[in-house]
Short mmCIF file of all heavy atoms in Angstrom, two decimals:
data_model
loop_
_atom_site.label_atom_id
_atom_site.label_comp_id
_atom_site.label_asym_id
_atom_site.label_seq_id
_atom_site.Cartn_x
_atom_site.Cartn_y
_atom_site.Cartn_z
N PRO A 50 13.13 0.66 -0.97
CA PRO A 50 12.50 -0.41 -1.68
C PRO A 50 10.95 -0.32 -1.48
O PRO A 50 10.51 0.12 -0.43
CB PRO A 50 12.99 -1.73 -0.98
CG PRO A 50 14.12 -1.33 -0.14
CD PRO A 50 14.01 0.10 0.13
N ARG A 57 -8.51 -7.18 -6.79
CA ARG A 57 -9.82 -6.69 -7.28
C ARG A 57 -10.52 -5.87 -6.28
O ARG A 57 -10.34 -6.08 -5.06
CB ARG A 57 -10.72 -7.94 -7.66
CG ARG A 57 -10.12 -8.73 -8.83
CD ARG A 57 -11.15 -9.65 -9.35
NE ARG A 57 -12.27 -9.04 -9.90
CZ ARG A 57 -13.36 -9.62 -10.38
NH1 ARG A 57 -13.44 -10.93 -10.42
NH2 ARG A 57 -14.36 -8.93 -10.91
N SER A 58 -11.30 -4.96 -6.73
CA SER A 58 -12.11 -4.07 -5.86
C SER A 58 -12.83 -4.97 -4.86
O SER A 58 -13.39 -5.94 -5.19
CB SER A 58 -13.04 -3.30 -6.74
OG SER A 58 -14.02 -2.71 -5.90
N SER A 73 -6.18 2.55 11.31
CA SER A 73 -7.45 2.25 10.73
C SER A 73 -7.90 3.14 9.68
O SER A 73 -8.85 2.95 8.99
CB SER A 73 -8.50 2.14 11.86
OG SER A 73 -8.63 3.41 12.43
N THR A 85 -9.95 5.22 -6.80
CA THR A 85 -9.54 4.15 -7.74
C THR A 85 -8.38 4.49 -8.61
O THR A 85 -7.66 3.62 -9.03
CB THR A 85 -10.72 3.76 -8.66
OG1 THR A 85 -11.22 4.98 -9.18
CG2 THR A 85 -11.80 3.08 -7.95
N ARG A 86 -8.12 5.77 -8.93
CA ARG A 86 -7.05 6.08 -9.88
C ARG A 86 -5.78 6.50 -9.13
O ARG A 86 -4.80 6.83 -9.78
CB ARG A 86 -7.52 7.16 -10.81
CG ARG A 86 -8.39 6.58 -11.87
CD ARG A 86 -8.91 7.62 -12.82
NE ARG A 86 -9.88 7.09 -13.74
CZ ARG A 86 -11.11 6.79 -13.40
NH1 ARG A 86 -11.54 6.98 -12.18
NH2 ARG A 86 -11.98 6.26 -14.29
N GLU A 96 12.13 2.73 6.18
CA GLU A 96 12.90 1.65 5.57
C GLU A 96 12.32 1.18 4.24
O GLU A 96 13.02 0.75 3.37
CB GLU A 96 12.83 0.40 6.49
CG GLU A 96 14.01 0.35 7.46
CD GLU A 96 14.18 -1.06 7.98
OE1 GLU A 96 13.29 -1.60 8.70
OE2 GLU A 96 15.20 -1.67 7.59
N ASP A 101 0.09 1.34 -2.38
CA ASP A 101 -1.31 0.91 -2.50
C ASP A 101 -1.77 1.22 -3.91
O ASP A 101 -1.97 2.35 -4.35
CB ASP A 101 -2.12 1.76 -1.43
CG ASP A 101 -3.59 1.41 -1.47
OD1 ASP A 101 -4.00 0.46 -2.18
OD2 ASP A 101 -4.35 2.15 -0.81
N GLN A 117 -7.78 3.10 -18.86
CA GLN A 117 -6.92 4.13 -18.19
C GLN A 117 -6.35 3.53 -16.89
O GLN A 117 -5.17 3.73 -16.61
CB GLN A 117 -7.79 5.35 -17.89
CG GLN A 117 -6.99 6.56 -17.42
CD GLN A 117 -7.86 7.57 -16.82
OE1 GLN A 117 -9.07 7.41 -16.59
NE2 GLN A 117 -7.32 8.73 -16.48
N ILE A 122 -1.83 1.07 -13.65
CA ILE A 122 -1.33 -0.06 -12.90
C ILE A 122 -0.10 -0.65 -13.62
O ILE A 122 0.97 -0.91 -13.00
CB ILE A 122 -2.50 -1.13 -12.77
CG1 ILE A 122 -3.56 -0.60 -11.88
CG2 ILE A 122 -1.85 -2.44 -12.25
CD1 ILE A 122 -4.81 -1.50 -11.84
N ASP A 124 1.91 0.64 -15.82
CA ASP A 124 3.03 1.55 -15.90
C ASP A 124 3.83 1.38 -14.57
O ASP A 124 5.10 1.32 -14.62
CB ASP A 124 2.52 3.01 -16.05
CG ASP A 124 3.74 3.93 -16.17
OD1 ASP A 124 4.66 3.66 -16.94
OD2 ASP A 124 3.74 4.92 -15.37
N MET A 132 10.07 -1.29 -7.03
CA MET A 132 9.24 -2.39 -6.49
C MET A 132 9.98 -3.69 -6.40
O MET A 132 10.58 -4.14 -7.36
CB MET A 132 8.06 -2.56 -7.46
CG MET A 132 7.04 -3.53 -6.75
SD MET A 132 5.64 -3.91 -7.86
CE MET A 132 6.36 -5.10 -8.94
N LEU A 135 5.37 -7.69 -5.42
CA LEU A 135 3.98 -7.29 -5.54
C LEU A 135 3.10 -8.35 -4.84
O LEU A 135 3.19 -9.52 -5.11
CB LEU A 135 3.55 -7.22 -7.05
CG LEU A 135 2.08 -7.00 -7.38
CD1 LEU A 135 1.77 -5.51 -6.94
CD2 LEU A 135 1.86 -7.06 -8.87
N LYS A 147 -11.08 -15.61 -13.94
CA LYS A 147 -10.33 -15.26 -15.11
C LYS A 147 -9.55 -13.95 -15.03
O LYS A 147 -8.41 -13.83 -15.44
CB LYS A 147 -11.26 -15.22 -16.36
CG LYS A 147 -10.54 -14.97 -17.63
CD LYS A 147 -11.44 -15.11 -18.86
CE LYS A 147 -10.91 -14.52 -20.09
NZ LYS A 147 -9.44 -14.59 -20.28
N PHE A 152 -4.27 -11.71 -14.93
CA PHE A 152 -3.37 -10.73 -14.34
C PHE A 152 -2.08 -11.44 -13.84
O PHE A 152 -0.97 -11.04 -14.09
CB PHE A 152 -4.02 -10.04 -13.16
CG PHE A 152 -3.20 -9.01 -12.49
CD1 PHE A 152 -2.90 -7.77 -13.11
CD2 PHE A 152 -2.67 -9.21 -11.21
CE1 PHE A 152 -2.08 -6.86 -12.48
CE2 PHE A 152 -1.83 -8.27 -10.62
CZ PHE A 152 -1.57 -7.08 -11.26
N ASN A 159 6.02 -11.50 -17.61
CA ASN A 159 6.97 -10.31 -17.55
C ASN A 159 7.97 -10.43 -16.43
O ASN A 159 8.68 -9.42 -16.11
CB ASN A 159 6.11 -9.06 -17.37
CG ASN A 159 5.44 -8.76 -18.74
OD1 ASN A 159 6.03 -8.19 -19.65
ND2 ASN A 159 4.10 -9.10 -18.81
N PHE A 163 5.96 -11.85 -7.43
CA PHE A 163 4.72 -11.65 -6.67
C PHE A 163 4.49 -12.74 -5.66
O PHE A 163 5.12 -13.79 -5.69
CB PHE A 163 3.48 -11.56 -7.70
CG PHE A 163 3.16 -12.92 -8.21
CD1 PHE A 163 2.18 -13.76 -7.61
CD2 PHE A 163 3.67 -13.32 -9.46
CE1 PHE A 163 1.85 -14.97 -8.19
CE2 PHE A 163 3.36 -14.55 -9.97
CZ PHE A 163 2.45 -15.38 -9.36
N SER A 164 3.60 -12.39 -4.69
CA SER A 164 3.12 -13.39 -3.68
C SER A 164 1.65 -13.14 -3.56
O SER A 164 1.18 -11.99 -3.60
CB SER A 164 3.78 -13.02 -2.34
OG SER A 164 4.85 -13.93 -2.05
N ILE A 166 -1.80 -13.09 -1.30
CA ILE A 166 -2.36 -13.05 0.02
C ILE A 166 -3.86 -13.40 -0.11
O ILE A 166 -4.59 -12.75 -0.81
CB ILE A 166 -2.21 -11.62 0.69
CG1 ILE A 166 -0.74 -11.23 0.79
CG2 ILE A 166 -2.88 -11.59 2.07
CD1 ILE A 166 -0.56 -9.84 1.33
N ARG A 184 -7.01 -25.85 -4.00
CA ARG A 184 -7.59 -25.84 -5.35
C ARG A 184 -6.95 -24.77 -6.21
O ARG A 184 -6.60 -24.93 -7.35
CB ARG A 184 -9.10 -25.59 -5.27
CG ARG A 184 -9.99 -26.82 -5.13
CD ARG A 184 -11.40 -26.61 -5.49
NE ARG A 184 -12.06 -25.59 -4.65
CZ ARG A 184 -12.53 -25.82 -3.46
NH1 ARG A 184 -12.45 -27.01 -2.93
NH2 ARG A 184 -13.10 -24.87 -2.72
N LEU A 189 -2.91 -22.93 -10.38
CA LEU A 189 -1.68 -22.13 -10.76
C LEU A 189 -0.55 -23.09 -11.21
O LEU A 189 0.23 -22.69 -12.04
CB LEU A 189 -1.23 -21.34 -9.53
CG LEU A 189 -2.22 -20.23 -9.10
CD1 LEU A 189 -1.73 -19.45 -7.87
CD2 LEU A 189 -2.46 -19.22 -10.25
N GLU A 194 5.80 -23.92 -12.61
CA GLU A 194 6.38 -25.09 -12.05
C GLU A 194 6.54 -24.99 -10.53
O GLU A 194 6.30 -25.89 -9.75
CB GLU A 194 7.83 -25.31 -12.64
CG GLU A 194 7.75 -26.13 -13.89
CD GLU A 194 9.11 -26.24 -14.52
OE1 GLU A 194 10.12 -26.28 -13.83
OE2 GLU A 194 9.13 -26.28 -15.76
N SER A 203 -6.60 -12.21 7.74
CA SER A 203 -7.83 -11.65 8.18
C SER A 203 -7.64 -10.31 8.85
O SER A 203 -6.99 -10.24 9.89
CB SER A 203 -8.57 -12.59 9.11
OG SER A 203 -9.55 -11.88 9.77
N HIS A 216 8.12 -11.56 6.20
CA HIS A 216 8.56 -11.87 4.85
C HIS A 216 9.18 -10.56 4.22
O HIS A 216 10.28 -10.64 3.62
CB HIS A 216 7.34 -12.27 4.02
CG HIS A 216 7.72 -12.77 2.59
ND1 HIS A 216 8.58 -13.85 2.46
CD2 HIS A 216 7.41 -12.34 1.39
CE1 HIS A 216 8.70 -14.05 1.12
NE2 HIS A 216 8.01 -13.17 0.45
N ILE A 220 13.21 -9.93 3.18
CA ILE A 220 13.72 -9.47 1.84
C ILE A 220 14.51 -8.20 2.04
O ILE A 220 15.55 -8.06 1.39
CB ILE A 220 12.42 -9.22 0.92
CG1 ILE A 220 11.81 -10.53 0.61
CG2 ILE A 220 12.91 -8.49 -0.36
CD1 ILE A 220 10.50 -10.40 -0.17
#
Side-chain angles (χ1 to χ4, degrees):
R57 293 192 64 182
S58 164
S73 63
T85 49
R86 282 176 187 77
E96 268 202 291
D101 181 7
Q117 192 195 6
I122 291 170
D124 181 50
M132 190 185 78
L135 177 64
K147 184 171 164 33
F152 181 72
N159 286 282
F163 72 89
S164 261
I166 300 177
R184 271 198 300 281
L189 295 176
E194 271 176 32
S203 160
H216 189 61
I220 295 174

